[in-house]
């Protein structure tokens, strides 16, 4: 949100001729004030308080918060979610054996665990759900958590559990080791939904990305029945009305496809700047 405020100010100044800057200054700072207020609400949510740096409180109308004051807020300023008919389902997955057996949701990027980053991303959704057969490492995050209803089926079983536990018409499924997902990237997939579609995913180099994908929760019964055959996620998706999007659709908002990045190996730790817990 701080970056968003700064970007808004920068755009206002750079798109106008120098002679008009003075006349626009008051409006620009009003915009900055609004975004800073939004920043305060979000950074204070769930914490003991938040504060503005010295000098910010001198902007007219911006309140200086003491460290013992709480800022209460929700997903958006009006309390609504960006995707009100979608649950974000975070799949905890396996044991992370290639990383020494760590709980991959506890991997850290820029001082935040991947699960903390995904929980923040979850503010755009009506609900957030963690699918974890071993929930103990994640209890401190306070997320609603369910286990696989059909054991031993891997990611297909995790998606099935999410479909069964969701309280919305759609689920957006991601893995807990995907630290770079964004609202803009998710919107590419979610905007492609339709009444004639059961699922939406990205296709990259002939491969489908089923853990950056949207699923209609009505699939739960048929999905569960199909699990007896131990199908792959792609095999399951091919049984339903799945819309695949070319990866270039995602590149329009994520040129490096970082939203699809997941951390599986020691090499991935180095590549994405991730540290072990």
């Amino acid at each position: 949100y701080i970056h968003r405020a700064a970007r808004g100010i920068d755009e206002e100044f750079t798109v106008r001729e120098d002679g008009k800057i003075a006349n626009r200054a008051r409006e620009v700072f009003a915009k900055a004030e609004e975004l800073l207020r939004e920043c305060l609400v979000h950074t204070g949510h769930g914490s003991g308080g938040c504060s503005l740096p010295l000098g910010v409180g001198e902007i007219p109308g911006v309140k200086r918060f003491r460290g013992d004051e709480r800022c209460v807020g929700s997903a958006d300023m009006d309390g609504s979610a960006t995707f009100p008919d979608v649950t974000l389902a975070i799949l905890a997955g396996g044991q992370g054996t290639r990383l020494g057996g760590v709980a991959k949701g506890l991997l850290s990027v820029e001082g935040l665990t991947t699960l903390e980053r995904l929980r923040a991303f979850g503010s755009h959704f009506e609900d957030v759900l963690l699918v974890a057969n071993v929930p103990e490492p994640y209890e401190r995050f306070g997320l609603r958590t369910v286990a696989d209803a059909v054991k031993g089926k891997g990611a297909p079983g995790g998606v099935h559990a999410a479909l069964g536990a969701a309280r919305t018409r759609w689920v957006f499924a991601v893995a807990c080791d995907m630290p770079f997902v964004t609202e803009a990237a998710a919107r590419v997939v979610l905007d492609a939904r339709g009444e004639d579609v059961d699922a939406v995913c990205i296709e990259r180099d002939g491969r489908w990305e089923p853990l950056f994908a949207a699923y209609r929760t009505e699939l739960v019964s048929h999905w569960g029945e199909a699990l007896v055959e131990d199908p792959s996620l792609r095999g399951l998706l091919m049984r339903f009305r799945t819309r695949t999007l070319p990866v270039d659709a995602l590149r329009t908002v994520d040129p490096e496809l970082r939203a699809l990045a997941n951390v599986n190996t020691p090499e991935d730790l180095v590549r994405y700047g991730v540290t072990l817990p």
Side-chain angles (χ1 to χ4, degrees):
Y1 287 90
I2 293 172
H3 289 166
R4 180 175 159 194
R7 184 170 65 248
I9 294 170
D10 181 64
E11 289 173 353
E12 290 284 357
F13 277 98
T14 55
V15 300
R16 303 178 188 282
E17 299 176 5
D18 290 347
K20 297 182 180 179
I21 289 177
N23 293 333
R24 292 288 294 168
R26 187 181 301 275
E27 183 176 341
V28 169
F29 278 102
K31 180 176 182 178
E33 175 186 328
E34 177 185 351
L35 291 171
L36 284 168
R37 285 181 184 277
E38 186 175 356
C39 173
L40 284 173
V41 170
H42 282 265
T43 56
H45 181 61
S47 67
C50 56
S51 61
L52 284 171
L54 291 175
V56 174
E58 297 169 7
I59 298 176
V62 177
K63 177 184 177 182
R64 180 82 63 82
F65 282 82
R66 301 191 312 272
D68 59 348
E69 290 183 301
R70 289 180 62 82
C71 304
V72 180
S74 56
D76 292 307
M77 291 297 286
D78 62 356
S80 63
T82 309
F83 307 114
D85 61 339
V86 187
T87 293
L88 174 65
I90 306 169
L91 276 61
Q95 299 300 313
T97 54
R98 285 178 287 180
L99 295 175
V102 302
K104 291 202 288 184
L106 302 183
L107 296 172
S108 181
V109 181
E110 298 176 352
L112 293 174
T113 65
T114 55
L115 194 55
E116 285 173 317
R117 295 170 72 94
L118 287 168
R119 183 176 62 177
F121 168 63
S123 68
H124 297 289
F125 297 81
E126 180 65 24
D127 195 13
V128 180
L129 177 68
L130 176 66
V131 180
N133 292 318
V134 183
E136 289 78 11
Y138 306 119
E139 288 177 346
R140 63 186 173 95
F141 297 101
L143 295 173
R144 185 164 71 94
T145 304
V146 298
D148 291 353
V150 182
K151 305 296 183 183
K153 300 300 181 179
V159 171
H160 174 252
L163 295 177
R167 301 162 179 162
T168 55
R169 293 185 60 199
W170 287 84
V171 160
F172 186 74
V174 298
C176 73
D177 61 351
M178 300 174 69
F180 306 116
V181 295
T182 65
E183 182 269 341
R187 184 177 292 279
V188 171
V189 172
L190 292 168
D191 280 357
R193 292 173 295 160
E195 291 301 320
D196 60 340
V197 174
D198 294 321
V200 183
C201 69
I202 299 290
E203 182 175 0
R204 175 171 58 166
D205 300 329
R207 294 179 291 109
W208 292 7
E209 299 287 347
L211 291 185
F212 188 80
Y215 299 85
R216 189 184 294 275
T217 53
E218 295 171 2
L219 299 179
V220 60
S221 296
H222 293 305
W223 192 282
E225 293 167 1
L227 289 178
V228 299
E229 303 173 22
D230 291 322
S232 66
L233 276 173
R234 176 167 179 160
L236 278 164
L237 284 168
M238 291 179 69
R239 299 179 183 219
F240 303 104
R241 299 175 299 173
T242 298
R243 175 172 292 165
T244 59
L245 304 176
V247 73
D248 285 344
L250 181 58
R251 288 189 196 275
T252 61
V253 298
D254 184 3
E256 298 180 4
L257 302 179
R258 283 171 64 83
L260 300 180
N262 60 348
V263 184
N264 286 313
T265 67
E267 291 75 20
D268 291 335
L269 297 177
V270 176
R271 181 180 300 115
Y272 300 121
V274 179
T275 57
L276 295 171

